[in-house]
Amino acid sequence: MRLLERMRKEWFMIGIVLAIAGAKLEPSIGVNGGPLKPEITVSYIAVATIFFNSGLSLKTEVADSRLHASACVFCGDINQGSWWKRGDLPDPGIKPASPAL
């Protein structure tokens, strides 16, 4: 029973050792163009999963404060973008004056 408890506690390290042993025995699975397609899975899926798991581990107070901050930046960005619609920019049909000779 003690061994089973230890394995449950150290499941991650046991999984890493098994993954390394499997990669040593059959390296063709993880090469570029192999069945795991590491050029896609590592670049996109693994990174997205890491960020998703990090987001799940945030406390709700931290997430709420960051959402508020991003909403403020988003609203400010919209307000800044609306400045261009006031007509401050010259008409694109008007050609610039030629320099004086």
Side-chain angles (χ1 to χ4, degrees):
M1 191 64 170
R2 181 88 173 132
L3 179 64
L4 186 59
E5 290 174 11
R6 182 71 175 188
M7 287 177 62
R8 283 185 182 162
K9 184 178 179 186
E10 301 291 337
W11 66 270
F12 187 71
M13 288 303 277
I14 293 170
I16 289 176
V17 169
L18 289 175
I20 292 172
K24 182 72 174 169
L25 294 173
E26 194 62 44
S28 63
I29 294 175
V31 297
N32 280 347
L36 288 181
K37 303 279 189 218
E39 59 275 4
I40 296 171
T41 56
V42 173
S43 299
Y44 301 106
I45 298 171
V47 173
T49 303
I50 289 168
F51 277 103
F52 181 72
N53 284 336
S54 296
L56 289 178
S57 67
L58 286 175
K59 294 180 181 177
T60 56
E61 299 88 26
V62 174
D64 289 342
S65 67
R66 291 193 187 261
L67 285 174
H68 175 70
S70 64
C72 292
V73 170
F74 179 71
C75 292
D77 189 37
I78 288 176
N79 290 336
Q80 296 284 334
S82 66
W83 290 357
W84 298 108
K85 294 183 179 73
R86 289 190 314 183
D88 292 342
L89 295 176
D91 188 342
I94 299 175
K95 294 181 181 175
S98 60
L101 296 175

